[in-house]
């Protein structure tokens, strides 16, 4: 059989695909914006017919109906990254969180973990090309590894004609067991406005980025503001977990050329896209953009091969010893590590590389300092002090690399909100770091 005959032979309805899931099975959904809506919603529609089915996914953009207590005993819900849809369920005990594994190690986790393997992979891909190859579209990150490590005969793909074909890692029809052909609208991410504090932080961050650097940025108001401040830079490259709309704008402005990259010259490398449908269409069949799995994109030893790799990430708070918490509030998990530590470490393996952690100096209307003497009981250290390089607030830049405890504390207090500096000094003396 040629691939077209195989393709036709594998087509089933979403209802039939879901009916194959047996009690006690495990399913990994394609990650984030690449989650397959037709398969996910059909599974939820038939959820009361299932028992003890484990669902694993990241920051799901869909309805997440399975976290409803009504599905107790039917679905076990496991999240690799807590987002707005799964956070309430985590607090109520209907969602379990998988922590303690860096993002680039997730494919290995999928392959060997008793919790996750063997499993089904429910993914979303493009229509096949003339060679029977489908693109992972807006998300390859752990979607491709989910397929790669799935049990024999348990790969189900929603083929969505709306899905954009992005270069990089591909999936052949031979590696799909069941095909559900269904059109679905694309999940998109809007762009946040930039306030005065965010703009000041962006100004400081942008000042650290030199010509010829390769950058990693996330999504949100701060990365957008930083990108707008890079319009006067030359020959930037991109090696980033997420490819964003602001990167498209820098490509169009001639700022991002990828010409000085050590590896993947000429190409913006990422594991996923996040933005508008217009951004997805810009990247579609555009040889300048590729998506690959996280065990490539987020591997610190791959990242570190880039010349002047700069990683910029947000954190929630940092203590006077230089330990950053990026994922918990009041001792309770709030989000996840994602690829933050991967890129922090990768940037510092790079020749001329820099790692930047950025945060507002305060929260809740300037009533809480985000530079703290020590972390609250139960809060997580996402980036250990041994890996911290630059820390930026709206009050300036602190370079903590190769500094003593006293020098670190003094540098951090200097970029704290003025209303909290005396208190931080007092607490720093009590801790013996000042």
């Amino acid at each position: 059989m040629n691939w077209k005959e195989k393709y036709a032979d594998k087509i089933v309805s979403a209802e039939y695909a879901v009916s194959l899931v047996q009690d006690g099975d495990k399913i990994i959904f394609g990650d984030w914006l690449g989650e397959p809506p037709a398969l996910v919603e059909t599974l939820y529609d038939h959820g009361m017919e299932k028992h003890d089915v484990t669902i694993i996914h990241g920051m799901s953009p869909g309805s997440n109906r399975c976290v409803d207590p009504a599905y107790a005993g039917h679905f076990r819900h496991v999240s690799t990254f807590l987002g707005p849809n799964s956070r309430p369920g985590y607090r109520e005990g209907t969602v379990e969180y998988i922590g303690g594994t860096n993002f680039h190690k997730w494919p290995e986790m999928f392959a060997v973990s008793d919790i996750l393997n063997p499993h089904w992979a429910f993914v979303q891909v493009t229509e096949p090309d003339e060679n029977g190859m489908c693109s992972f579209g807006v998300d390859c990150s752990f979607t491709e590894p989910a397929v790669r490590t799935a049990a024999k005969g348990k790969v189900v793909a929603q083929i969505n004609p709306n899905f954009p074909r992005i270069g990089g890692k591909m999936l052949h029809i031979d590696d799909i067991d069941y095909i559900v052909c269904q059109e679905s609208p694309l999940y998109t991410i809007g762009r946040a406005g930039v306030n005065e504090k965010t703009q000041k932080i962006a100004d400081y961050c942008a000042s650290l980025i030199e010509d010829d650097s390769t950058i990693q940025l996330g999504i949100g108001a701060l990365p957008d503001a930083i990108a707008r401040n890079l319009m006067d830079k030359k020959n930037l490259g991109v090696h980033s977990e997420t490819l964003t709309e602001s990167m498209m704008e820098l490509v169009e402005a001639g700022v991002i050329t990828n010409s000085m990259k050590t590896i993947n010259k000429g190409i913006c490398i990422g594991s996923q896209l996040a933005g508008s449908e217009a951004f997805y269409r810009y990247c579609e069949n555009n040889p300048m953009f590729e998506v690959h799995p996280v065990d490539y994109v987020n591997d610190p030893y791959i990242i570190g091969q880039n010349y002047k790799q700069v990683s910029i990430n947000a954190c929630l708070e940092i203590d006077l010893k230089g330990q950053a918490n990026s994922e918990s509030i009041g001792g309770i998990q709030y989000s996840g590590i994602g690829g933050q530590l991967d890129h922090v470490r990768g940037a510092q393996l790079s020749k001329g590389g820099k790692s930047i952690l950025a945060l507002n100096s305060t929260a809740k209307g300037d009533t809480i300092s985000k530079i703290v003497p020590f972390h609250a009981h139960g809060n997580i250290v996402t980036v250990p002090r041994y890996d911290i390089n630059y820390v930026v607030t709206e009050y300036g830049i602190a370079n903590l690399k190769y500094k003593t405890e006293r020098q670190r504390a003094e540098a951090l207090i200097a970029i704290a909100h003025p209303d909290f500096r005396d208190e931080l000094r007092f607490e720093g003396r009590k801790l013996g770091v000042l």
Side-chain angles (χ1 to χ4, degrees):
M1 297 172 70
N2 61 35
W3 75 259
K4 291 182 180 179
E5 292 171 320
K6 292 178 184 177
Y7 178 92
D9 197 47
K10 294 179 179 185
I11 294 174
V12 299
S13 67
E15 287 76 11
Y16 178 79
V18 164
S19 75
L20 298 173
V21 176
Q22 301 298 304
D23 293 349
D25 280 355
K26 303 156 191 171
I27 309 170
I28 299 180
F29 293 164
D31 189 26
W32 199 21
L33 304 178
E35 194 174 273
L39 294 172
V40 171
E41 294 306 318
T42 303
L43 178 67
Y44 295 166
D45 288 343
H46 294 271
M48 295 303 178
E49 303 164 16
K50 311 293 181 184
H51 294 88
D52 194 31
V53 170
T54 300
I55 295 174
I56 305 107
H57 63 63
M59 191 165 64
S60 172
S63 66
N64 263 18
R65 283 188 280 152
C66 64
V67 305
D68 191 297
Y71 286 101
H74 301 279
F75 290 127
R76 177 184 175 217
H77 189 80
V78 178
S79 180
T80 59
F81 191 100
L82 297 181
N85 290 347
S86 53
R87 205 170 285 137
Y90 175 75
R91 294 194 190 104
E92 294 161 7
T94 58
V95 175
E96 295 178 56
Y97 171 68
I98 296 180
T101 304
N102 287 316
F103 203 5
H104 79 280
K105 286 289 189 180
W106 287 9
E108 179 181 303
M109 177 175 71
F110 290 168
V112 303
S113 169
D114 290 339
I115 297 172
L116 305 178
N117 195 59
H119 60 258
W120 288 87
F122 279 15
V123 302
Q124 182 176 198
V125 295
T126 67
E127 295 177 314
D129 65 11
E130 64 277 8
N131 298 310
M133 303 297 291
C134 302
S135 165
F136 285 97
V138 302
D139 191 280
C140 186
S141 60
F142 71 65
T143 304
E144 186 275 339
V147 170
R148 189 198 317 163
T149 58
K152 183 176 176 61
K154 291 189 174 182
V155 175
V156 185
Q158 177 184 349
I159 291 189
N160 182 358
N162 289 330
F163 221 41
R165 175 172 288 275
I166 312 297
K169 191 73 173 179
M170 297 286 169
L171 178 64
H172 195 271
I173 289 299
D174 284 350
D175 297 317
I176 303 172
D177 299 302
Y178 302 97
I179 292 169
V180 173
C181 298
Q182 189 162 328
E183 185 173 348
S184 295
L186 301 178
Y187 290 121
T188 58
I189 295 290
R191 302 180 78 171
V194 177
N195 60 29
E196 184 179 354
K197 277 187 181 182
T198 300
Q199 188 57 57
K200 285 182 179 178
I201 296 169
D203 293 345
Y204 284 122
C205 290
S207 73
L208 293 169
I209 300 174
E210 304 169 6
D211 291 346
D212 305 334
S213 295
T214 297
I215 59 173
Q216 174 256 322
L217 292 170
I219 60 171
L222 178 59
D224 270 3
I226 292 168
R228 282 194 282 274
N229 278 20
L230 299 179
M231 286 296 178
D232 62 344
K233 306 292 182 179
K234 295 180 176 61
N235 295 322
L236 297 184
V238 173
H239 187 111
S240 182
E241 180 179 313
T242 306
L243 302 177
T244 66
E245 208 145 344
S246 61
M247 294 171 183
M248 171 188 74
E249 292 162 355
L250 289 168
V251 167
E252 290 184 312
V255 175
I256 289 175
T257 64
N258 295 297
S259 61
M260 299 302 293
K261 291 178 69 176
T262 315
I263 56 174
N264 301 304
K265 277 187 182 292
I267 302 170
C268 294
I269 293 291
S271 70
Q272 59 194 6
L273 276 64
S276 66
E277 186 162 354
F279 169 55
Y280 301 157
R281 296 307 169 205
Y282 179 86
C283 297
E284 189 169 24
N285 296 313
N286 185 334
M288 203 167 183
F289 294 85
E290 288 187 5
V291 289
H292 294 269
V294 289
D295 49 359
Y296 179 79
V297 176
N298 279 28
D299 185 335
Y301 295 99
I302 298 293
I303 297 166
Q305 292 177 43
N306 287 306
Y307 176 58
K308 289 186 179 180
Q309 176 79 42
V310 180
S311 72
I312 304 176
N313 293 282
C315 64
L316 294 173
E317 63 179 9
I318 186 164
D319 72 10
L320 290 181
K321 293 192 176 183
Q323 303 176 114
N325 162 30
S326 305
E327 52 185 310
S328 58
I329 297 175
I332 298 174
Q333 194 75 34
Y334 180 77
S335 57
I337 187 172
Q340 183 167 122
L341 190 55
D342 292 336
H343 285 273
V344 165
R345 289 177 171 167
Q348 293 186 81
L349 290 171
S350 162
K351 184 178 180 180
K354 298 173 183 176
S355 163
I356 302 166
L357 293 180
L359 72 165
N360 288 335
S361 67
T362 60
K364 293 190 175 180
D366 295 337
T367 62
I368 297 174
S369 178
K370 296 178 77 173
I371 295 177
V372 296
F374 45 82
H375 293 301
H377 179 71
N379 271 356
I380 294 162
V381 174
T382 308
V383 184
R385 61 180 180 168
Y386 315 106
D387 294 297
I388 299 284
N389 188 181
Y390 291 97
V391 179
V392 177
T393 74
E394 70 272 27
Y395 290 101
I397 301 169
N399 185 358
L400 306 189
K401 195 170 185 179
Y402 305 138
K403 300 293 174 66
T404 67
E405 281 192 334
R406 180 183 296 273
Q407 289 170 328
R408 285 170 172 243
E410 288 172 342
L412 288 166
I413 291 170
I415 63 169
H417 191 286
D419 290 352
F420 294 95
R421 291 177 188 172
D422 287 343
E423 180 185 346
L424 288 167
R425 289 189 187 95
F426 176 78
E427 295 291 342
R429 286 191 289 270
K430 285 173 60 178
L431 291 168
V433 297
L434 288 176

